[in-house]
Amino acid sequence: MQHLNFPKFSFRFKNSENKISIFDVLRKKFVILQPEEWVRQHCVHYLVEEKKYPKSLINVEKELIINTLKKRYDIVVFNPNGSIHLIVECKAPQININQDTFDQVARYNLKLNATYLMVTNGLNHYYCQMDFKNERYEFLKDIPEYTMP
């Protein structure tokens, strides 16, 4: 798999029926290693190991219904009170991040109301903080580390 713009992490892999899988520490199972999954797993490890978010507050690949359409978010980090702290949209490294990508995560956020948004293809990362009062987002250099409430 391609080298990504994240710190180096240790991953567990297995090969079954000529398909490589990677162990997801949140779902506690091996999942087929696709380019987007490679980015998602790096991002999960980044949030847990670098930003110190507890695994218990992170959710991956869950269904979301927006205007009767079934969608799936990549990563959501909850606050201890159940509100949503962060939504992460992961793309495969060969996918360019553009306005459509931001529009996608913004649509998800209309339903989820996260304070922070992150969009990444593993090579480029973009971080935003929501300004709900003015209905816009402000770009940040990084997302904040987890702090106990």
Side-chain angles (χ1 to χ4, degrees), residues 36 40 59-76 87-89 91 100-101 103-112:
E36 184 177 314
R40 185 171 23 256
N59 213 320
V60 294
E61 286 267 283
K62 293 289 187 219
E63 188 175 277
L64 178 67
I65 297 177
I66 299 176
N67 298 330
T68 70
L69 297 174
K70 289 183 180 185
K71 302 289 185 181
R72 290 183 86 72
Y73 61 70
D74 286 304
I75 303 170
V76 162
I87 302 172
V88 182
E89 180 59 31
K91 298 293 183 191
D100 289 342
T101 312
D103 291 346
Q104 178 184 1
V105 77
R107 274 192 304 278
Y108 291 178
N109 205 34
L110 288 173
K111 179 134 184 151
L112 299 174

Side-chain angles (χ1 to χ4, degrees), residues 1-9 11 22 33-44 46 90-95 120-125:
M1 277 282 152
Q2 179 175 354
H3 176 74
L4 301 178
N5 189 11
F6 281 104
K8 200 158 181 67
F9 300 116
F11 296 102
I22 188 168
L33 184 57
Q34 302 286 348
E36 184 177 314
E37 190 63 45
W38 183 235
V39 173
R40 185 171 23 256
Q41 291 305 314
H42 273 81
C43 196
V44 165
Y46 174 73
C90 300
K91 298 293 183 191
Q94 70 273 16
I95 304 294
T120 182
N121 63 3
L123 304 173
N124 300 299
H125 318 299

